[in-house]
């Protein structure tokens, strides 16, 4: 196969490109944002200012796609550790038992994580990450998608199109414009909100543990 197009330079889009470059001669990642040259918060990643971390399987998967990235992130300030041995989990006011789980997680800011993934993916042979490109529709011929159309009218042919645009995805609308029935949508509503506040961590805090997790319960909804 010759050319794949990925809509969106999100984490999903970038990692999709990392997988596709093994099968396609050229992979083009299109993103409507102006992508920063340094690791800073950007408009297209609204949740980037919240605390971030990679659980074990997520870290392993990214490492499989981009070998050596864990060491690169650690060298830039990320922190790793056993998710059971170096974490404190409190339920109903009591700390759960700890031990060696073999599950190695990674604490890393979203700008650093996304920035390093973007640098690694952009350096892969045949992969091109193109910022400032707004996709406005799909191209089709003989009942199959053959590429995408940009806002300026430029067509970009492709053997495969992957939409990693997230909640801003327009694919259901575009498929409808081509005469296809949009896929059925399922929604699961949750009444959940979260916030993040940064504190300066002093020496000896948590005695070397990485994180403390306290779970609120109906009988005690406020964290102590």
């Amino acid at each position: 196969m010759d050319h794949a197009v990925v809509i969106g330079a999100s984490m999903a889009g970038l990692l999709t490109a990392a997988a596709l470059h093994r099968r396609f001669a050229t992979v083009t990642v299109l993103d409507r944002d102006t992508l920063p040259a340094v690791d800073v918060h950007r408009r297209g990643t609204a949740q980037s200012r919240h605390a971030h971390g990679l659980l074990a399987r997520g870290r392993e998967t990214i490492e499989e796609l981009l070998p050596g990235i864990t060491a690169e992130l650690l060298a830039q300030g990320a922190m790793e550790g056993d998710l059971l041995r170096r974490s404190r989990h409190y339920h109903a006011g009591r700390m759960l038992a700890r031990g060696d789980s073999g599950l190695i997680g990674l604490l890393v800011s979203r700008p650093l994580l996304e920035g390093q993934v973007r640098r690694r993916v952009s350096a892969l042979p045949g992969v091109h990450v193109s910022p400032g490109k707004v996709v406005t529709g799909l191209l089709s011929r003989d009942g199959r998608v053959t590429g995408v159309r940009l806002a300026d009218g430029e067509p970009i042919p492709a053997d495969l199109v992957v939409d990693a645009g997230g909640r801003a995805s327009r694919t259901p609308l575009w498929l409808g414009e081509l005469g296809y029935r949009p896929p059925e949508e399922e929604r699961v509503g949750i009444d959940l909100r979260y916030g993040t506040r940064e504190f300066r961590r002093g020496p000896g805090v948590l005695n070397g543990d990485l994180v403390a997790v306290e779970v609120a319960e109906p009988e005690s909804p406020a964290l102590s």
Side-chain angles (χ1 to χ4, degrees):
M1 296 185 209
D2 187 49
H3 187 210
V5 165
V6 179
I7 303 172
S10 60
M11 286 292 295
L14 292 169
L15 295 175
T16 296
L20 291 176
H21 102 281
R22 303 176 181 183
R23 297 292 301 272
F24 290 83
T26 305
V27 180
T28 302
V29 183
L30 305 170
D31 197 281
R32 63 190 307 132
D33 254 4
T34 299
L35 301 175
V38 295
D39 301 336
V40 295
H41 302 287
R42 67 183 183 92
R43 182 175 60 87
T45 310
Q47 76 277 25
S48 69
R49 295 184 185 276
H50 289 292
H52 272 72
L54 284 175
L55 297 180
R57 188 54 185 149
R59 185 194 63 79
E60 291 168 359
T61 299
I62 296 177
E63 185 71 25
E64 290 172 8
L65 291 170
L66 303 170
I69 194 169
T70 298
E72 294 165 2
L73 291 169
L74 291 173
Q76 296 179 74
M79 303 170 68
E80 73 171 350
D82 189 293
L83 293 174
L84 187 59
R85 170 61 65 188
R86 298 193 65 190
S87 298
R88 300 183 184 186
H89 293 265
Y90 295 91
H91 290 251
R94 296 185 178 183
M95 189 171 71
L96 302 184
R98 305 204 293 176
D100 295 322
S101 67
L103 301 174
I104 305 301
L106 196 66
L107 296 181
V108 57
S109 72
R110 177 58 180 260
L112 173 56
L113 175 62
E114 186 176 296
Q116 189 64 16
V117 169
R118 185 166 59 245
R119 284 186 286 273
R120 286 291 306 274
V121 171
S122 298
L124 292 173
V127 176
H128 307 281
V129 179
S130 300
K133 301 293 185 180
V134 180
V135 178
T136 57
L138 300 173
L139 306 177
S140 70
R141 185 178 64 250
D142 299 330
R144 65 181 298 271
V145 173
T146 59
V148 300
R149 182 178 63 253
L150 300 184
D152 60 4
E154 178 188 358
I156 300 183
D159 299 291
L160 176 69
V161 174
V162 178
D163 184 357
R167 61 182 178 180
S169 171
R170 306 277 289 172
T171 291
L173 175 64
W174 296 335
L175 291 174
E177 291 174 346
L178 296 176
Y180 300 109
R181 180 167 38 176
E184 293 185 10
E185 183 177 306
E186 294 183 4
R187 294 193 179 193
V188 177
I190 57 173
D191 185 15
L192 177 65
R193 297 168 180 82
Y194 60 95
T196 293
R197 180 170 179 174
E198 295 183 0
F199 297 88
R200 186 177 300 278
R201 180 168 175 163
V205 172
L206 296 180
N207 293 323
D209 291 337
L210 294 178
V211 63
V213 180
E214 185 171 352
V215 179
E217 298 184 350
E219 297 76 14
S220 179
L223 299 183
S224 58

